[in-house]
Amino acid sequence: MTNYMEDNHMGKKSNITLIGMPGCGKSTLGVILAKAINYDFLDSDLLIQKKTGEKLQAIINKYGNERFREIEEEVNASIDVKGTVIATGGSVIYGEKAMKHLKDISTVVYIKLSANEVLKRVNNVKTRGISMKQGETLLDLYNKRVPLYEKYADLIVDCDEMTTSESLNAILNDLGFEV
């Protein structure tokens, strides 16, 4: 298997950052991608929880979406790692400073799913820690976020209706690893 850190044809630093909608598999795929390429794994949502001492939904409920996004941006903009797969929260793309930083230190991979697939996978909108406005639906959120995911992505990997294994292979292939 290609050593991504030594032969990084993407011209980026030694990390891979996964972005995408809730339910697209960033954390699950991140862990198995890291294992497959012998990288560390970091879940930025867990960093937020560690920093605040609270679960994501509790932060949103207590401080509101705006403050949650400020904390999320601060945490993501301060990530300092090498040889790591970084799984972000779905709303990371609202933080310009965080996204500029993540693009500077990593190859940003957008795990793309159709709206129908996201709606099928995510059934705990109220408790999952999803940053969304009052009255906003998951479909509204999808339509707002997709252009931002596409804007920041170095690679877009369409994983619609794929198994976890098929999605992993698609990501590895698109990153230039031999599968």
Side-chain angles (χ1 to χ4, degrees), residues 1 4-5 34 41 44 48 58 75 83 88 99 106 149 151 162:
M1 185 170 281
Y4 190 75
M5 288 174 76
F41 174 74
S44 68
I48 293 167
V75 168
T88 62
M99 288 309 304
S106 65
Y149 293 134
K151 171 186 172 181
M162 285 188 186

Side-chain angles (χ1 to χ4, degrees), residues 26-166:
K26 297 178 297 287
S27 296
T28 302
L29 286 166
V31 168
I32 59 176
L33 175 60
K35 284 182 183 178
I37 62 174
N38 198 26
Y39 268 33
D40 293 327
F41 174 74
L42 185 149
D43 186 320
S44 68
D45 281 348
L46 295 179
L47 283 182
I48 293 167
Q49 290 182 178
K50 186 175 183 182
K51 177 186 171 82
T52 62
E54 299 186 69
K55 291 185 178 185
L56 301 180
Q57 191 62 53
I59 300 165
I60 293 167
N61 293 344
K62 191 172 182 178
Y63 302 107
N65 284 311
E66 194 172 309
R67 180 64 185 131
F68 172 78
R69 290 182 184 165
E70 288 170 1
I71 295 166
E72 180 178 45
E73 180 165 30
E74 186 181 300
V75 168
N76 281 285
S78 68
I79 292 172
D80 183 18
V81 293
K82 282 193 171 32
T84 302
V85 175
I86 304 163
T88 62
S91 55
V92 69
I93 39 85
Y94 293 125
E96 260 186 68
K97 181 180 167 191
M99 288 309 304
K100 181 186 180 323
H101 174 69
L102 291 169
K103 284 183 74 68
D104 284 347
I105 66 165
S106 65
T107 299
V108 177
V109 179
Y110 167 33
I111 301 171
K112 183 178 181 174
L113 293 179
S114 68
N116 284 342
E117 190 69 19
V118 171
L119 293 172
K120 266 195 280 186
R121 291 184 184 194
V122 180
N123 52 22
N124 55 346
V125 175
K126 300 285 185 222
T127 59
R128 188 177 175 124
I130 299 172
S131 178
M132 52 197 299
K133 293 179 182 167
Q134 190 79 24
E136 195 170 40
T137 68
L138 197 53
L139 184 57
D140 294 335
L141 202 62
Y142 179 90
N143 290 328
K144 247 194 244 179
R145 289 184 180 181
V146 165
L148 293 170
Y149 293 134
E150 292 174 350
K151 171 186 172 181
Y152 288 115
D154 294 309
L155 282 174
I156 298 173
V157 183
D158 190 341
C159 295
D160 212 38
E161 297 183 23
M162 285 188 186
T163 65
T164 301
S165 179
E166 290 167 336

Side-chain angles (χ1 to χ4, degrees), residues 16-30:
I16 299 165
T17 297
L18 304 179
I19 62 172
M21 282 296 290
C24 74
K26 297 178 297 287
S27 296
T28 302
L29 286 166

